[in-house]
Amino acid sequence: MRLTRFTDVALRVLMRLAVARDEDPPTTREVAATMRVPYTHTAKVVARLQHLGLVDARRGRGGGLTLTSAGHRASVGTLVRELEGADEVVECEGDTPCPLRSGCRLRGALRRAQEAFYATLDPITVTELVSSPTGPLLIGISTGPAPD
């Protein structure tokens, strides 16, 4: 299974925010630069995460992005399900329906594989994703190189 770019960016944004210091929350532009993702794409991701109650975004002086307590506790499997949608792995219906759809065993097998994929991610939280060595790496790339 392959995740969409949107889900990939969302997970990276959540991981970056999980290691942010509360006194210095990053902006959407800073997160986009750190994660090497276009700002406009990151802004759409942040808006969706805010809508889901995982991110708090404040504008203006002293503003920035913070991960909510729900964001810290969020299950990666639940997040991926929410962001990817409930679509099947293969398209059996639609404009050109598959001629095997009435007796095909592949669709069921792929659905079970998809659920196994999600089930593997279900017990992992965003906070767990940033345990060492990932958290220190994220902090390092967020602060940039030390000045000379």
Side-chain angles (χ1 to χ4, degrees), residues 12-35 39 42-43 46 49-50 54-68 72 138-139 141-144:
R12 289 195 277 159
V13 166
L14 291 169
M15 290 169 65
R16 169 58 184 93
L17 296 179
V19 299
R21 295 188 332 255
D22 289 335
E23 64 274 2
D24 190 23
T27 65
T28 301
R29 194 166 301 282
E30 290 167 344
V31 171
T34 299
M35 295 292 114
Y39 169 76
T42 306
V46 167
L49 295 174
Q50 187 178 12
L54 305 174
V55 170
D56 182 34
R58 285 169 276 135
R59 291 180 171 217
R61 190 175 197 86
L65 304 173
T66 55
L67 194 60
T68 65
H72 281 282
L138 276 165
I139 292 168
I141 64 173
S142 298
T143 57

Side-chain angles (χ1 to χ4, degrees), residues 70-125:
H72 281 282
R73 294 187 319 268
S75 157
V76 175
T78 301
L79 285 168
V80 172
R81 277 185 194 91
E82 178 69 32
L83 297 170
E84 290 291 311
D87 293 341
E88 297 278 340
V89 176
V90 294
E91 179 65 41
C92 298
E93 306 299 331
D95 294 339
T96 311
C98 176
L100 303 175
R101 71 184 179 283
S102 64
C104 181
R105 298 179 71 196
L106 178 61
R107 185 178 190 178
L110 290 172
R111 175 50 103 180
R112 288 189 300 278
Q114 183 180 30
E115 272 310 308
F117 173 78
Y118 291 139
T120 302
L121 297 173
D122 281 340
I124 303 167
T125 66

